Amino acid sequence: MPLSEHEQRMLEQMERALYAEDPKFATALEGSELRTYTRRRVYQAVAGFLVGVALLMAGMVAKLVIVSVLGFLVMLGCAVLAVTGWRKAPKPGEQPPAEQGHDAGGRPHSRRQGRPRRSMMNRIEDRWQRRRDEQQ
């Protein structure tokens, strides 16, 4: 169940207060879990890539084109996962991606005329809410 706007604002205020009070502790707490998750995801993608290589080779040896194509697709998918996971991983002592893009006052800023960047899911949820409100 997603948080309401009020609950999200309260959570963001609490996060900003924690960062203001003890930024070193907050960064260590936030980044370590994300780094561990991202590192695990990259390792899984590398293992999947190796499985894809094995499928590709097995398909070539057995002269089964479908197995080779499947191996290639597994390799491609795992390579994409590894690269995106690697790029999203925060460096030690760095703020997680969700917190980047905030100024010193904790307010979000963007390169586009001060409009905060929102995720695609947030925009979809907003549209859904507007449609439901218009129908009532």
Side-chain angles (χ1 to χ4, degrees):
M1 177 174 183
L3 298 175
S4 69
E5 287 185 31
H6 176 69
E7 291 170 334
Q8 287 176 348
R9 281 191 303 255
M10 293 295 291
L11 183 61
E12 288 171 3
Q13 280 182 335
M14 290 175 10
E15 287 175 356
R16 282 193 301 265
L18 177 62
Y19 274 100
E21 190 175 305
D22 195 356
K24 188 175 179 181
F25 173 71
T27 303
L29 206 100
E30 188 77 30
S32 65
E33 290 178 23
L34 187 59
R35 275 195 312 272
T36 303
Y37 169 76
T38 306
R39 189 178 305 132
R40 186 179 315 126
R41 181 177 171 194
V42 169
Y43 289 153
Q44 289 171 346
V46 168
F49 186 85
L50 294 175
V51 168
V53 169
L55 283 172
L56 180 70
M57 297 304 248
M60 296 294 280
V61 169
K63 296 184 184 188
L64 295 172
V65 176
I66 190 75
V67 175
S68 296
V69 170
L70 182 66
F72 176 76
L73 292 175
V74 168
M75 288 170 50
L76 182 65
C78 290
V80 168
L81 283 176
V83 169
T84 57
W86 190 262
R87 286 183 181 169
K88 290 180 182 179
K91 306 293 183 268
E94 185 180 47
Q95 287 184 345
E99 288 297 319
Q100 291 176 352
H102 288 75
D103 62 9
R107 294 176 303 274
H109 69 279
S110 176
R111 292 186 179 108
R112 286 186 265 154
Q113 283 100 19
R115 271 183 48 196
R117 292 185 65 189
R118 301 183 324 178
S119 72
M120 184 178 74
M121 284 304 293
N122 286 341
R123 291 191 309 262
I124 290 171
E125 287 177 4
D126 290 344
R127 288 179 190 155
W128 180 260
Q129 277 300 116
R130 271 187 267 135
R131 287 182 187 147
R132 286 183 60 198
D133 292 343
E134 288 172 2
Q135 290 176 354
Q136 291 178 355

